[in-house]
Amino acid sequence: MSTGDPLKDIRDRIAAAEAGQAAKNTPATPLADYGTETGKGFRLVIDFTVPIFVGAAVGLWIDRQLETLPWLTLIFILLGFGAGIMNVFRSAGGYGAVGYRKPDPSDSHQNTPPPESATDEDKSPRE
Amino acid sequence: VSSPLQQFEIHSIVTLPPLAGLDVSFTNSSLFMVLAAVFSLALVTLTMRQRALIPGRWQALAEMYYGFIAGLVKETATPEAKRFFPFIFTLFSFILFGNLLGMLPFSFTFTSHIIVTFAMAAFIFVLVTIVGFVRHGTHFFSYFLPEGTPLLIAPLLFVLEVFAYLTRPFTLSVRLFANMLAGHVLLKVIISFVAMMGVAGVVPLLATVAFIGFEVFVACLQAYIFSLLTCVYLKDAIHLH
C-alpha cells in the first residue's frame, strides 16, 4: 500500500485536519458571498442607497423644523453617501465592521489570513 | 388584468373597535403572522413528540433545523451570544415561514410590508445597542472610532460610522422587504403575460415555473441573511469588532 514514504499518509491527514481547523478560524464568510450574483449586487445597491435616502429624509425633516432649507438636507445626503460607501466597503470586504482598521494580533478574529478573494489592492485602503 | 400590487392589499378579517385611536382589526396580515407562528411551533413540537434516540425523518428535520441556527449563532455571533439563540431561532422561523407561506397561491406575504420588517429591524437595533451599552458602558462609543484610525480623518469617520450605525434598521428592513416585494411583483407580472400572450404564453409559463423555484430559494436565503446580520450586529456589540 504505502510504498515510498510511510509518514506520507499521516502527514496528509494532519494537513487536512489543520486546513479544516484553519477554515473554522477564519472569519465568517463575507456577507456578499451569499446568494446569486444578482442577489449580491442587489444587496450592495440597498446597502449603498438606503443611507442616502435616510439622510435626505432626516435632513429635510430637520430643515423644515429649523427653516434652514436646503443646507442640512445637502449635508445629510452627503453623510448618507459616505455611510453608504462604508456599508458597501464593509459588505464587499467582509471585514468586521470597520475596514480601515489595522489587524489586531490579539484579536483571534482578525489575525487569521484573509480569504482568498482578498487581494493586495483591496487590502491597501485599510492601512 | 388585476394590478400586480393587489396581492399586497391589507383587508381586515375581524373588525375590532379602535384601541387608543389605532385600528387593531385582525387582518390578513395578522392571519399569516399567526399561521407562521403556528407552523414554526408545529415544526419543533409535533416532530419532537417521540424524542427517539434514533430520530425518525421528521425528528431529524427538526434537529437539523435547530442545529443549523445553533451553528449560525455559535459561529457568527461567537459562543458568548448563545443566550440570544432563542431570539434568533424565533426570528428566523417567523421570517422563513412568513416568506414560504407567501409563496402559496392566494396567500399574503407579510414580510413584503416594510412596516413589518422595520418593526423587527428596529427591535434588533434597540436590543443590540442595549447589549453594547450593558457590556461596555460608555466604552461602547469606541466602536465608532477604533484604534488605528488616522487622526486627521477621525472626526469625519466618527460621524460616518455613527450615521451608518443609525441607518442599520433601515438597511436591514429594506433588504428583506425589497427582495420579497420585487419577487412577488415580478412573478405576478410574468404570470399576467401567460394570459395575455395566448398560445405563446407557454414561454412565460415555463419561466414562471423556474421563477417560483428561485423565489422559494430567495425566501429561505433572505430569512437566513436577516438572522445572519442580526448575529453579526450582536457580535459587534459584544466584542466591539
Side-chain angles (χ1 to χ4, degrees):
Chain A
M1 294 279 275
S2 55
T3 44
D5 192 350
L7 290 178
K8 193 179 179 304
D9 179 47
I10 191 89
R11 205 179 286 141
D12 284 349
R13 274 155 61 192
I14 290 173
E18 279 176 346
Q21 201 61 40
K24 260 186 201 161
N25 288 339
T26 46
T29 325
L31 188 66
D33 283 5
Y34 290 99
T36 57
E37 295 298 318
T38 324
K40 290 179 205 171
F42 196 54
R43 202 141 57 234
L44 291 182
V45 166
I46 288 169
D47 280 347
F48 180 63
T49 49
V50 166
I52 300 178
F53 286 112
V54 172
V58 170
L60 204 63
W61 184 76
I62 301 177
D63 260 348
R64 289 232 174 99
Q65 304 293 312
L66 304 177
E67 298 184 352
T68 49
L69 213 76
W71 300 109
L72 287 173
T73 310
L74 288 176
I75 291 170
F76 271 88
I77 287 176
L78 282 178
L79 267 180
F81 187 73
I85 287 182
M86 287 183 46
N87 277 343
V88 169
F89 187 59
R90 209 171 283 160
S91 313
Y95 271 81
V98 179
Y100 48 80
R101 184 180 160 206
K102 279 178 188 157
D104 182 357
S106 66
D107 187 351
S108 63
H109 285 279
Q110 295 280 334
N111 63 3
T112 42
E116 67 286 351
S117 62
T119 51
D120 277 333
E121 68 251 36
D122 68 35
K123 229 189 278 176
S124 50
R126 290 194 190 97
E127 302 300 316
Chain B
V1 180
S2 57
S3 158
L5 295 176
Q6 202 186 16
Q7 54 180 321
F8 303 115
E9 269 170 23
I10 288 182
H11 47 83
S12 55
I13 296 172
V14 182
T15 312
L16 298 172
L19 186 76
L22 297 170
D23 186 4
V24 288
S25 298
F26 190 83
T27 62
N28 50 349
S29 184
S30 330
L31 173 69
F32 276 91
M33 286 185 199
V34 171
L35 281 180
V38 167
F39 272 97
S40 22
L41 253 171
L43 177 64
V44 287
T45 50
L46 295 184
T47 53
M48 294 302 288
R49 267 161 74 187
Q50 295 204 323
R51 288 168 214 272
L53 194 60
I54 299 162
R57 263 175 290 180
W58 283 101
Q59 194 182 334
L61 176 75
E63 284 176 4
M64 276 163 68
Y65 185 63
Y66 183 96
F68 176 66
I69 307 297
L72 171 74
V73 174
K74 212 177 91 189
E75 276 161 38
T76 312
T78 70
E80 282 150 83
K82 246 184 186 163
R83 69 179 70 173
F84 295 105
F85 168 74
F87 173 64
I88 308 277
F89 188 75
T90 313
L91 190 74
F92 178 78
S93 303
F94 187 64
I95 299 173
L96 180 71
F97 278 97
N99 290 350
L100 288 179
L101 285 172
M103 290 310 298
L104 298 174
F106 304 109
S107 67
F108 178 87
T109 325
F110 60 80
T111 43
S112 64
H113 276 256
I114 187 138
I115 191 65
V116 177
T117 57
F118 185 75
M120 291 191 283
F123 182 84
I124 289 162
F125 176 77
V126 172
L127 173 81
V128 163
T129 311
I130 290 174
V131 168
F133 274 111
V134 165
R135 275 194 81 109
H136 300 284
T138 49
H139 188 66
F140 179 63
F141 286 108
S142 76
Y143 175 73
F144 301 116
L145 199 69
E147 296 169 59
T149 313
L151 214 62
L152 202 66
I153 55 166
L156 178 67
L157 281 174
F158 181 78
V159 173
L160 286 183
E161 277 288 350
V162 171
F163 198 78
Y165 185 80
L166 292 179
T167 52
R168 266 182 183 181
F170 296 95
T171 44
L172 189 59
S173 55
V174 169
R175 200 175 285 117
L176 175 60
F177 145 78
N179 269 291
M180 299 320 293
L181 183 85
H184 280 78
V185 170
L186 204 57
L187 201 56
K188 192 73 179 250
V189 168
I190 297 178
I191 288 173
S192 68
F193 285 157
V194 179
M196 281 199 274
M197 287 168 68
V199 183
V202 176
V203 179
L205 184 68
L206 289 176
T208 310
V209 173
F211 200 72
I212 284 179
F214 178 70
E215 274 305 304
V216 170
F217 164 72
V218 168
C220 301
L221 185 78
Q222 287 305 319
Y224 177 66
I225 284 177
F226 200 91
S227 328
L228 177 81
L229 274 167
T230 310
C231 289
V232 169
Y233 293 166
L234 273 174
K235 192 205 93 186
D236 284 352
I238 293 172
H239 294 280
L240 301 178
H241 310 308

mmCIF file of all heavy atoms in Angstrom, chain A residues 89 95 99-103 114 118-127, chain B residues 150:
data_model
loop_
_atom_site.group_PDB
_atom_site.id
_atom_site.type_symbol
_atom_site.label_atom_id
_atom_site.label_comp_id
_atom_site.label_asym_id
_atom_site.label_seq_id
_atom_site.Cartn_x
_atom_site.Cartn_y
_atom_site.Cartn_z
ATOM 1 N N PHE A 89 -18.259 49.005 1.251
ATOM 2 C CA PHE A 89 -16.871 48.647 1.507
ATOM 3 C C PHE A 89 -16.798 47.465 2.472
ATOM 4 O O PHE A 89 -16.088 46.484 2.268
ATOM 5 C CB PHE A 89 -16.205 49.876 2.125
ATOM 6 C CG PHE A 89 -14.728 49.766 2.303
ATOM 7 C CD1 PHE A 89 -13.913 49.544 1.224
ATOM 8 C CD2 PHE A 89 -14.177 49.893 3.561
ATOM 9 C CE1 PHE A 89 -12.550 49.450 1.391
ATOM 10 C CE2 PHE A 89 -12.821 49.802 3.731
ATOM 11 C CZ PHE A 89 -11.998 49.583 2.646
ATOM 12 N N TYR A 95 -14.904 42.398 6.211
ATOM 13 C CA TYR A 95 -14.064 42.514 7.389
ATOM 14 C C TYR A 95 -14.798 43.210 8.500
ATOM 15 O O TYR A 95 -15.069 44.401 8.401
ATOM 16 C CB TYR A 95 -12.814 43.321 7.073
ATOM 17 C CG TYR A 95 -11.721 42.467 6.573
ATOM 18 C CD1 TYR A 95 -11.691 42.061 5.260
ATOM 19 C CD2 TYR A 95 -10.745 42.015 7.444
ATOM 20 C CE1 TYR A 95 -10.707 41.249 4.803
ATOM 21 C CE2 TYR A 95 -9.761 41.190 6.988
ATOM 22 C CZ TYR A 95 -9.738 40.815 5.663
ATOM 23 O OH TYR A 95 -8.764 39.999 5.218
ATOM 24 N N GLY A 99 -13.406 48.587 8.072
ATOM 25 C CA GLY A 99 -12.416 48.050 7.163
ATOM 26 C C GLY A 99 -11.074 48.730 7.259
ATOM 27 O O GLY A 99 -10.060 48.132 6.945
ATOM 28 N N TYR A 100 -11.042 49.967 7.726
ATOM 29 C CA TYR A 100 -9.792 50.706 7.653
ATOM 30 C C TYR A 100 -8.882 50.440 8.835
ATOM 31 O O TYR A 100 -7.809 50.989 8.938
ATOM 32 C CB TYR A 100 -10.061 52.212 7.537
ATOM 33 C CG TYR A 100 -11.051 52.745 8.528
ATOM 34 C CD1 TYR A 100 -10.672 53.028 9.830
ATOM 35 C CD2 TYR A 100 -12.365 52.941 8.160
ATOM 36 C CE1 TYR A 100 -11.585 53.483 10.735
ATOM 37 C CE2 TYR A 100 -13.288 53.408 9.060
ATOM 38 C CZ TYR A 100 -12.894 53.678 10.348
ATOM 39 O OH TYR A 100 -13.793 54.141 11.253
ATOM 40 N N ARG A 101 -9.334 49.598 9.744
ATOM 41 C CA ARG A 101 -8.557 49.364 10.955
ATOM 42 C C ARG A 101 -7.431 48.380 10.671
ATOM 43 O O ARG A 101 -7.613 47.414 9.938
ATOM 44 C CB ARG A 101 -9.480 48.790 12.013
ATOM 45 C CG ARG A 101 -8.843 48.595 13.328
ATOM 46 C CD ARG A 101 -9.895 48.015 14.240
ATOM 47 N NE ARG A 101 -9.295 47.368 15.360
ATOM 48 C CZ ARG A 101 -9.871 46.403 16.028
ATOM 49 N NH1 ARG A 101 -11.048 45.972 15.661
ATOM 50 N NH2 ARG A 101 -9.282 45.859 17.053
ATOM 51 N N LYS A 102 -6.281 48.628 11.312
ATOM 52 C CA LYS A 102 -5.175 47.677 11.186
ATOM 53 C C LYS A 102 -5.543 46.382 11.895
ATOM 54 O O LYS A 102 -6.143 46.421 12.961
ATOM 55 C CB LYS A 102 -3.918 48.258 11.834
ATOM 56 C CG LYS A 102 -3.200 49.223 10.922
ATOM 57 C CD LYS A 102 -1.989 49.805 11.634
ATOM 58 C CE LYS A 102 -1.402 50.914 10.802
ATOM 59 N NZ LYS A 102 -0.619 51.840 11.594
ATOM 60 N N PRO A 103 -5.166 45.236 11.335
ATOM 61 C CA PRO A 103 -5.476 43.978 12.011
ATOM 62 C C PRO A 103 -4.809 43.938 13.375
ATOM 63 O O PRO A 103 -3.625 44.263 13.507
ATOM 64 C CB PRO A 103 -4.904 42.916 11.082
ATOM 65 C CG PRO A 103 -4.666 43.586 9.792
ATOM 66 C CD PRO A 103 -4.445 45.034 10.085
ATOM 67 N N PRO A 114 -6.674 36.463 5.438
ATOM 68 C CA PRO A 114 -7.919 36.800 4.753
ATOM 69 C C PRO A 114 -8.298 35.717 3.771
ATOM 70 O O PRO A 114 -7.428 34.964 3.310
ATOM 71 C CB PRO A 114 -7.578 38.100 4.025
ATOM 72 C CG PRO A 114 -6.113 38.113 3.907
ATOM 73 C CD PRO A 114 -5.575 37.345 5.063
ATOM 74 N N ALA A 118 -9.500 38.167 -0.994
ATOM 75 C CA ALA A 118 -8.883 39.440 -0.639
ATOM 76 C C ALA A 118 -7.512 39.548 -1.293
ATOM 77 O O ALA A 118 -6.567 38.882 -0.889
ATOM 78 C CB ALA A 118 -8.757 39.564 0.873
ATOM 79 N N THR A 119 -7.389 40.345 -2.296
ATOM 80 C CA THR A 119 -6.110 40.541 -2.962
ATOM 81 C C THR A 119 -5.433 41.760 -2.394
ATOM 82 O O THR A 119 -5.967 42.445 -1.526
ATOM 83 C CB THR A 119 -6.333 40.712 -4.475
ATOM 84 O OG1 THR A 119 -7.315 41.715 -4.676
ATOM 85 C CG2 THR A 119 -6.798 39.425 -5.113
ATOM 86 N N ASP A 120 -4.237 42.037 -2.882
ATOM 87 C CA ASP A 120 -3.464 43.119 -2.301
ATOM 88 C C ASP A 120 -4.120 44.478 -2.491
ATOM 89 O O ASP A 120 -4.069 45.315 -1.604
ATOM 90 C CB ASP A 120 -2.049 43.146 -2.909
ATOM 91 C CG ASP A 120 -1.167 42.142 -2.195
ATOM 92 O OD1 ASP A 120 -1.447 41.859 -1.005
ATOM 93 O OD2 ASP A 120 -0.228 41.655 -2.801
ATOM 94 N N GLU A 121 -4.721 44.682 -3.641
ATOM 95 C CA GLU A 121 -5.230 46.034 -3.866
ATOM 96 C C GLU A 121 -6.437 46.333 -2.992
ATOM 97 O O GLU A 121 -6.675 47.484 -2.671
ATOM 98 C CB GLU A 121 -5.539 46.282 -5.343
ATOM 99 C CG GLU A 121 -6.704 45.504 -5.920
ATOM 100 C CD GLU A 121 -6.231 44.426 -6.868
ATOM 101 O OE1 GLU A 121 -5.166 43.825 -6.590
ATOM 102 O OE2 GLU A 121 -6.923 44.193 -7.883
ATOM 103 N N ASP A 122 -7.193 45.287 -2.552
ATOM 104 C CA ASP A 122 -8.284 45.666 -1.665
ATOM 105 C C ASP A 122 -7.860 45.634 -0.202
ATOM 106 O O ASP A 122 -8.641 45.898 0.681
ATOM 107 C CB ASP A 122 -9.576 44.884 -1.936
ATOM 108 C CG ASP A 122 -9.496 43.427 -1.602
ATOM 109 O OD1 ASP A 122 -8.805 43.075 -0.614
ATOM 110 O OD2 ASP A 122 -10.093 42.647 -2.314
ATOM 111 N N LYS A 123 -6.596 45.298 0.037
ATOM 112 C CA LYS A 123 -6.100 45.371 1.391
ATOM 113 C C LYS A 123 -5.567 46.772 1.690
ATOM 114 O O LYS A 123 -5.642 47.258 2.797
ATOM 115 C CB LYS A 123 -4.963 44.365 1.572
ATOM 116 C CG LYS A 123 -5.114 43.492 2.808
ATOM 117 C CD LYS A 123 -3.874 42.688 3.065
ATOM 118 C CE LYS A 123 -3.774 41.432 2.238
ATOM 119 N NZ LYS A 123 -2.534 40.716 2.417
ATOM 120 N N SER A 124 -4.994 47.409 0.676
ATOM 121 C CA SER A 124 -4.273 48.652 0.924
ATOM 122 C C SER A 124 -5.107 49.762 1.546
ATOM 123 O O SER A 124 -4.608 50.447 2.425
ATOM 124 C CB SER A 124 -3.618 49.135 -0.372
ATOM 125 O OG SER A 124 -4.571 49.137 -1.415
ATOM 126 N N PRO A 125 -6.372 49.966 1.177
ATOM 127 C CA PRO A 125 -7.059 51.111 1.784
ATOM 128 C C PRO A 125 -7.284 50.953 3.269
ATOM 129 O O PRO A 125 -7.643 51.910 3.946
ATOM 130 C CB PRO A 125 -8.402 51.147 1.038
ATOM 131 C CG PRO A 125 -8.362 50.104 0.021
ATOM 132 C CD PRO A 125 -7.207 49.236 0.268
ATOM 133 N N ARG A 126 -7.107 49.750 3.805
ATOM 134 C CA ARG A 126 -7.360 49.538 5.227
ATOM 135 C C ARG A 126 -6.203 50.027 6.083
ATOM 136 O O ARG A 126 -6.343 50.198 7.267
ATOM 137 C CB ARG A 126 -7.552 48.049 5.497
ATOM 138 C CG ARG A 126 -8.828 47.567 4.914
ATOM 139 C CD ARG A 126 -9.205 46.227 5.439
ATOM 140 N NE ARG A 126 -10.309 45.758 4.637
ATOM 141 C CZ ARG A 126 -10.155 44.947 3.621
ATOM 142 N NH1 ARG A 126 -8.977 44.453 3.327
ATOM 143 N NH2 ARG A 126 -11.186 44.590 2.915
ATOM 144 N N GLU A 127 -5.049 50.165 5.498
ATOM 145 C CA GLU A 127 -3.885 50.500 6.317
ATOM 146 C C GLU A 127 -3.926 51.937 6.793
ATOM 147 O O GLU A 127 -4.456 52.804 6.126
ATOM 148 C CB GLU A 127 -2.620 50.262 5.511
ATOM 149 C CG GLU A 127 -2.499 48.827 5.017
ATOM 150 C CD GLU A 127 -2.479 47.805 6.101
ATOM 151 O OE1 GLU A 127 -1.798 47.983 7.105
ATOM 152 O OE2 GLU A 127 -3.180 46.781 5.963
ATOM 153 N N PRO B 150 -6.421 57.029 11.440
ATOM 154 C CA PRO B 150 -5.572 58.218 11.336
ATOM 155 C C PRO B 150 -6.293 59.419 11.940
ATOM 156 O O PRO B 150 -7.489 59.607 11.701
ATOM 157 C CB PRO B 150 -5.387 58.392 9.827
ATOM 158 C CG PRO B 150 -5.699 57.063 9.236
ATOM 159 C CD PRO B 150 -6.695 56.428 10.138
#
